[in-house]
Amino acid sequence: MAYSKLITSKYGKDNVKFLKVKKDPQNPKIQNVIEATVLVLLEGDFDKSYTEANNSSIIPTDTVKNTILILAKTTNVWPIERFATKIATHFIEKYSHVSGITVQINQELWSKYNVNGEKHDHSFIHQGPEKKFTELYLKRSGDYKLSSSIKNLTVLKSTGSQFHGYNVCDFTTLKPTTDRILSTDVDAKWEFDSKKLGSISNIFKLSDKETNIFDLIYNKAREITLNIFAIENSPSVQATMYNMATEILKFSSYVDNVSYSLPNKHYILFDLKWKGINENDDLFYPSPHPNGLIKCTVAREIKSKI
Ligand SMILES: O=c1[nH]c(=O)c2[nH]c(=O)[nH]c2[nH]1
């Protein structure tokens, strides 16, 4: 009897990068770009490659990389949600021993900038660490999970945030505050309702106009996040993220649930009382560690029809 057994396995290629240019057919100088980093992981009948050193079922990760690039060249990569469905269906249809696939696409944010008051046709500014992200998990049965995310959107407000009324015990040193700095790197993810979106092959067949739903939800989720962050007098990170998620759910019935993961990046007051200077709490230091980390997933309350 063997001493060990394989419990789970996945393999594929990570960090497959490309930049694709889209030219306006009427005026080829008017262009758009997608720069993306793709990950593909395959599951299926690959056990003997781990347990018997038998490579016959392995689709080399080099082939996985070539496939991503060939599909990027030969199909529409806008928007990344639809491109993810194209990659996933390709592997499921071509290789009968693939039973499930994970596709992740990280999109760099290149936005056109104004020159003489007008958006330039083909010059872009990189938006820094912020990324648009999508993840698809597709099974051979056709069941899937598709989500999109805002990642690494760093925000800070210098007032309009409070934190008090929390549990106090013999280990508590934190002082309650009605005015603090609030800063975070937003990671917001919304999972689509697959019953509303329909089958995966249906998503790939959606027209450019129909796939607008993905951009609409992304833009609105970003706007809601930024607006609530700015406008609300935040009682806590927990309450603020819940309000953001609720507004995204209200905006689109295509969204099944929303998750936020927010570090609370602390800025700590320099206490200069020792120097006799204690007016105007206005000088802080960014504390590199530790940080709070607050996560939640929010869905619609299911209304009982009874
Ligand atoms: O918004 C906050 N939530 C917390 O759970 C917490 N804990 C803490 O020390 N500061 C904060 N702030």
Side-chain angles (χ1 to χ4, degrees):
M1 205 168 70
Y3 182 76
S4 55
K5 72 172 182 180
L6 189 69
I7 302 293
T8 61
S9 67
K10 287 183 185 200
Y11 83 99
K13 208 69 154 185
D14 194 5
N15 289 308
V16 181
K17 291 177 185 276
F18 67 82
L19 180 139
K20 187 160 186 185
V21 178
K22 179 155 74 178
K23 299 177 186 170
D24 184 321
Q26 262 72 56
N27 181 350
K29 286 270 188 287
I30 301 180
Q31 303 189 350
N32 231 316
V33 295
I34 278 195
E35 181 175 347
T37 305
V38 182
L39 164 138
V40 167
L41 292 177
L42 304 174
E43 292 161 47
D45 188 5
F46 300 108
D47 286 10
K48 59 183 182 291
S49 68
Y50 297 86
T51 58
E52 296 169 32
N54 179 336
N55 290 347
S56 58
S57 64
I58 295 181
I59 304 155
T61 68
D62 192 62
T63 309
V64 174
K65 177 254 304 170
N66 289 345
T67 307
I68 295 164
L69 296 177
I70 290 165
L71 293 175
K73 172 75 183 163
T74 55
T75 62
N76 188 352
V77 303
W78 276 263
I80 54 173
E81 290 89 347
R82 182 172 57 185
F83 184 48
T85 68
K86 179 67 194 175
I87 297 173
T89 38
H90 172 93
F91 280 97
I92 292 282
E93 284 170 7
K94 184 157 181 175
Y95 306 102
S96 60
H97 61 300
V98 171
S99 60
I101 173 164
T102 305
V103 180
Q104 293 179 353
I105 306 178
N106 233 309
Q107 182 182 351
E108 303 291 322
L109 296 183
W110 287 107
S111 59
K112 290 186 173 175
Y113 62 87
N114 282 359
V115 175
N116 298 327
E118 274 185 48
K119 270 203 173 131
H120 194 262
D121 288 344
H122 48 253
S123 297
F124 306 83
I125 294 184
H126 190 248
Q127 298 296 118
E130 187 189 345
K131 306 275 183 279
K132 181 183 173 185
F133 178 81
T134 196
E135 177 166 16
L136 171 65
Y137 179 65
L138 174 65
K139 289 208 243 180
R140 177 158 292 280
S141 65
D143 289 352
Y144 70 89
K145 273 197 169 158
L146 177 65
S147 64
S148 291
S149 305
I150 298 163
K151 285 197 183 283
N152 274 322
L153 168 62
T154 301
V155 286
L156 178 147
K157 67 195 296 191
S158 49
T159 185
S161 167
Q162 325 185 30
F163 189 61
H164 48 82
Y166 45 82
N167 182 284
V168 175
C169 67
D170 54 338
F171 284 181
T172 307
T173 54
L174 186 74
K175 297 278 170 284
T177 177
T178 54
D179 186 7
R180 65 174 182 174
I181 289 179
L182 184 61
S183 179
T184 191
D185 305 321
V186 175
D187 182 335
K189 172 172 115 177
W190 47 100
E191 205 172 288
F192 294 100
D193 182 340
S194 36
K195 283 193 209 78
K196 283 219 74 167
L197 272 182
S199 69
I200 280 289
S201 51
N202 181 55
I203 300 173
F204 192 70
K205 285 192 219 112
L206 294 176
S207 66
D208 283 352
K209 208 166 149 215
E210 289 166 321
T211 53
N212 235 342
I213 185 78
F214 295 117
D215 288 340
L216 258 173
I217 295 171
Y218 171 81
N219 290 332
K220 194 68 184 184
R222 195 173 182 279
E223 184 188 309
I224 286 168
T225 302
L226 291 175
N227 284 0
I228 292 183
F229 183 79
I231 292 164
E232 186 191 65
N233 189 353
S234 169
S236 66
V237 174
Q238 284 89 333
T240 297
M241 73 208 299
Y242 182 78
N243 290 340
M244 292 169 173
T246 302
E247 287 308 306
I248 296 171
L249 287 168
K250 280 187 197 161
F251 174 69
S252 177
S253 59
Y254 282 84
V255 174
D256 181 71
N257 63 77
V258 180
S259 301
Y260 275 85
S261 173
L262 301 179
N264 188 4
K265 299 169 79 176
H266 306 300
Y267 285 78
I268 295 164
L269 190 70
F270 271 118
D271 185 354
L272 297 180
K273 280 196 210 80
W274 61 272
K275 187 79 180 119
I277 314 174
N278 55 4
E279 69 274 13
N280 262 341
D281 291 342
D282 59 0
L283 189 67
F284 299 82
Y285 66 95
S287 166
H289 51 71
N291 57 271
L293 181 60
I294 299 161
K295 293 170 178 265
C296 73
T297 298
V298 184
R300 276 179 205 86
E301 181 142 36
I302 300 164
K303 296 225 171 65
S304 166
K305 293 215 172 99
I306 305 166

